[in-house]
Structures are given as structure tokens and as C-alpha cells.
Amino acid sequence: MCRRDGAAMGLVTAVWSLFGSTTGMLAAGLGAIIVMPIFAVIGAFIGAAILFVIWRLMGSGEDYETAFRCQASVAAIYPVTALLAIVPYLGTIITIAWGAFLLVEASVSVHGRERKTAQIVFGVLAVLMILSNIASERAARQMERRFQDVGQFENMEDMSPEEAGRKMGEFFKGLEESSNRSADGDAD
């Protein structure tokens, strides 16, 4: 089941990469068809182990196989979450919240845990994951903006040494200024 869902997620990623303008994106998309199912299976085993420990700490007497089956059932949302990933920030929030909801339901119906306890445990984990993922997404977007300036150096061979040196100086000055702004923003 995880392999099939991972393959579907890889296929969705590959299709979305077709709308990109570079050949590298197309290659990455086609590579996703092969790599995503493998990572989905590996991730399912690791995720099931983590969930097994969480459910054990919550007092569940179910075995690892049950945790794996619950993890595999949650993996059914992978293709939809791959589509949601195109919506900045909101896709991340919906994906994590949906997964947490499914884990709460699995805790109640499969593991026999109280709904309130499951909501607290998976709610706290979901909030931490949402904050972490949004911070990562924000940082990635800032880095993308910073490195767009690198594109202006593509034809450096055609520039005179003085012009190339001036452009590099401007680039490093801009990078330093944005780094300082980022550090000042983190200090607030």
C-alpha cells in the first residue's frame, strides 16, 4: 500500500515538474517516479516505529504490525498531499493537520486510547511540525530570492575583468546585507 501511494505521489510530482522550464526539473520529476516509492516504504517503516513508541507511551498494547498498518493507512493521503504542496504554507498546514486527525482516529479506534489524550498528543506534535515546516519553507523561499541574483553572472566570460569584479562585489554586498537583515529579524 505504501509503495503504491508513494508511486502515485511520485507520478503527481513528475507531472507537476513538466510545467517547469528547465530540463533539470523534468529529470527530477521523472526521478521522483522511481525514488518516491522507495522513500515511501523506508519512511513507512521508520514512521511506524516512531508511532509504535508514541502509542506505547500512551499505554497501547498493540504490536508494531498494527502501528505499521495505521501508518500505511495514513499514507493513503500522500497523492493528495503532493497536490496540496503547490499551495505555499496552507498546503503544509492542511497536510499535517489531516495526518494528525487520522492518527487521532487510529489511536481511538485501533489502539483504544481516549480521544482527548490522542488529540493532545497528536495535536501538540502537529503544531510543532507545522511550525517547523513553515519556518523551513520560509527560509527556503528567502534563500531562493537571494540566489536569483546569481543568474546575473551567467555571462561572466563576456565581461571585462573590471565589470565582473564590480558585479561580484555588488552580489556579495547584497548577500551580506540580506544576511544582516535576516540576523536582525531573528534577534527580534
Side-chain angles (χ1 to χ4, degrees), residues 4-10 12 16 74-84:
R4 182 180 64 233
D5 295 331
M9 190 166 90
V12 168
W16 279 118
V74 171
I77 67 172
Y78 285 178
V80 177
T81 60
L83 290 173
L84 288 174

Side-chain angles (χ1 to χ4, degrees), residues 121-151:
V121 169
F122 289 107
V124 168
L125 291 174
V127 168
L128 292 174
M129 288 179 65
I130 287 170
L131 292 174
S132 173
N133 283 325
I134 287 179
S136 297
E137 193 170 335
R138 182 175 173 260
R141 289 180 183 282
Q142 287 177 343
M143 289 302 291
E144 182 180 356
R145 275 185 253 129
R146 289 179 188 165
F147 285 111
Q148 283 177 348
D149 293 338
V150 173

Side-chain angles (χ1 to χ4, degrees), residues 160-183:
S160 68
E162 294 80 19
E163 186 180 6
R166 185 179 52 78
K167 291 263 190 193
M168 288 296 287
E170 290 172 5
F171 171 73
F172 286 123
K173 183 177 179 182
L175 190 61
E176 181 181 357
E177 288 172 0
S178 66
S179 175
N180 290 338
R181 278 193 306 260
S182 176

Side-chain angles (χ1 to χ4, degrees), residues 1-11 32-49 51 64-81 103:
M1 182 169 192
C2 291
R3 186 177 58 228
R4 182 180 64 233
D5 295 331
M9 190 166 90
L11 185 60
I33 293 174
I34 297 168
V35 172
M36 286 294 207
I38 294 168
F39 285 155
V41 170
I42 293 169
F45 282 108
I46 294 169
L51 289 173
Y64 174 80
E65 181 181 354
T66 304
F68 184 82
R69 288 176 187 264
C70 291
Q71 165 64 31
S73 296
V74 171
I77 67 172
Y78 285 178
V80 177
T81 60
L103 291 172

Side-chain angles (χ1 to χ4, degrees), residues 85-108:
I86 64 170
V87 180
Y89 304 112
L90 185 61
T92 300
I93 294 168
I94 292 171
T95 298
I96 294 171
W98 189 4
F101 168 77
L102 293 174
L103 291 172
V104 167
E105 293 303 313
S107 297
V108 172

